[in-house]
Amino acid sequence: MKFSNILFRSAAAAATALILAACPSTGVKPAPQAAAPAAKPQAVVAVALGGGASKGFAHIGILKVLKANNIPVKVVTGTSAGAIVGSLYASGMSPDRLELEAEILGKTDLVDLTLSTSGFIKGQALQDYINRKVGNRRIEQFPLKFAAVATDFESGKAVAFNRGNAGQAVRASASIPNVFQPAVIGGRKYVDGGLSQPVPVTAAKNQGANFVIAVDISARPSKNTRAGFFTYLDQTLNIMSSGALQSELAKADIVIKPQVLELGAIGGFDQKARAIKLGEDAARAALPEIKRKLAAYRY
């Protein structure tokens, strides 16, 4: 009896298998799911404004074009002249207002002469000027992230000031050796940031930027035998920091180089409008590449 049950069940299973095998198959396989497109990263755009004495007025033209073309700058870093312009812009000052401030700025507005072996300009006038223009706000109160880069006098390392007294930070960043007295912050001496980060791309990345537009207005060796003291000094500082400059520019997504060398280290004070125009021209020329590369981001 048991044996017959086993045979019956085996026969039933075999019959079922044959019936299923005889059923027609559609032969249609499920369509493969299309891979979801990779999400674009959020753009955190920075401008890293380099040093270059009064050639720095060109930075205003750069910012003017970027603003007019809706390039979403969220981070601003500056060295020396770049710190001066950058601090004002990061504080909320419009490019048009920057242009007006440049127009009324005189050479003596930022200069307080003194007798000292460490520099013949104290730097307090520059500090007070910046603080007055930013409404005496601290850096962390600015609407845009900002950092002024200076060089630690003892270690030679770059220090990015992104908090605290804005005027003091800019003063430290712009303290050209043997011209300005070193700025003292927290008991340490600081000099021009151009010696360590001539164009502060690293500082911009450390502020959270993932797309950096670097602006290089540094000097190149001149054959002009009648070049003055400031021109020679400007060139000397840039020769000393040429390695650091190339290292910084290599980290940028975009490098803009306004053709301002003809202006010289202090000539820009007498040709401010020309410097701003050269900055605008350089920024417009770079716009197609900026927009092409930014297409990989959402903003």
Side-chain angles (χ1 to χ4, degrees):
M1 190 67 166
K2 293 180 180 178
F3 181 73
S4 61
N5 285 340
I6 294 172
L7 287 176
F8 177 80
R9 290 174 183 172
S10 297
T16 302
L18 287 172
I19 293 170
L20 290 175
C23 291
S25 172
T26 61
V28 178
K29 295 181 179 180
Q33 293 293 324
K40 292 182 178 182
Q42 177 71 46
V44 181
V45 181
V47 286
L49 307 177
S54 63
K55 298 190 298 292
F57 287 113
H59 291 318
I60 298 174
I62 299 285
L63 295 170
K64 189 175 181 181
V65 170
L66 295 181
K67 180 74 172 180
N69 286 273
N70 299 312
I71 304 302
V73 174
K74 301 296 182 185
V75 178
V76 181
T77 57
T79 290
S80 199
I84 295 174
V85 175
S87 65
L88 301 181
Y89 185 71
S91 75
M93 194 174 287
S94 70
D96 288 340
R97 174 67 185 277
L98 279 172
E99 195 167 9
L100 175 61
E101 292 293 343
E103 183 181 338
I104 63 177
L105 180 67
K107 291 180 181 179
T108 58
D109 291 339
L110 308 180
V111 174
D112 44 1
L113 297 175
T114 185
L115 293 175
S116 172
T117 56
S118 62
F120 54 85
I121 298 176
K122 284 190 279 188
Q124 187 65 47
L126 171 59
Q127 177 174 326
D128 293 344
Y129 172 84
I130 295 296
N131 281 333
R132 186 167 63 252
K133 295 300 178 180
V134 303
N136 291 306
R137 284 173 295 162
R138 294 169 63 84
I139 294 173
E140 60 267 31
Q141 295 175 311
F142 289 177
L144 298 180
K145 281 189 176 182
F146 173 70
V149 175
T151 302
D152 186 289
F153 184 72
E154 294 183 9
S155 70
K157 294 181 179 180
V159 177
F161 292 98
N162 61 1
R163 299 182 63 82
N165 188 306
Q168 191 178 49
V170 172
R171 175 183 181 177
S173 180
S175 291
I176 303 170
N178 298 319
V179 176
F180 282 79
Q181 293 181 339
V184 180
I185 302 175
R188 298 189 69 84
K189 294 180 179 180
Y190 296 93
V191 293
D192 197 296
L195 294 170
S196 53
Q197 279 188 32
V199 180
V201 177
T202 297
K205 289 181 176 290
N206 289 342
Q207 295 300 306
N210 58 7
F211 190 95
V212 183
I213 301 169
V215 184
D216 176 20
I217 56 170
S218 57
R220 304 294 186 274
S222 172
K223 296 180 180 179
N224 181 7
T225 57
R226 300 179 64 181
F229 169 76
F230 284 102
T231 298
Y232 279 122
L233 179 60
D234 189 32
Q235 290 183 11
T236 299
L237 292 175
N238 280 284
I239 291 170
M240 290 172 61
S241 61
S242 60
L245 173 63
Q246 296 309 314
S247 176
E248 290 297 304
L249 295 182
K251 300 172 187 176
D253 296 274
I254 301 288
V255 177
I256 302 177
K257 295 186 178 184
Q259 300 302 305
V260 292
L261 302 186
E262 64 188 65
L263 302 180
I266 61 173
F269 249 104
D270 300 318
Q271 302 183 61
K272 298 170 191 172
R274 173 68 175 156
I276 293 171
K277 175 65 165 55
L278 290 171
E280 290 180 34
D281 292 343
R284 287 197 189 96
L287 270 177
E289 184 180 10
I290 294 173
K291 291 181 177 180
R292 179 180 65 80
K293 289 189 173 181
L294 270 179
Y297 297 82
R298 56 187 174 87
Y299 55 90

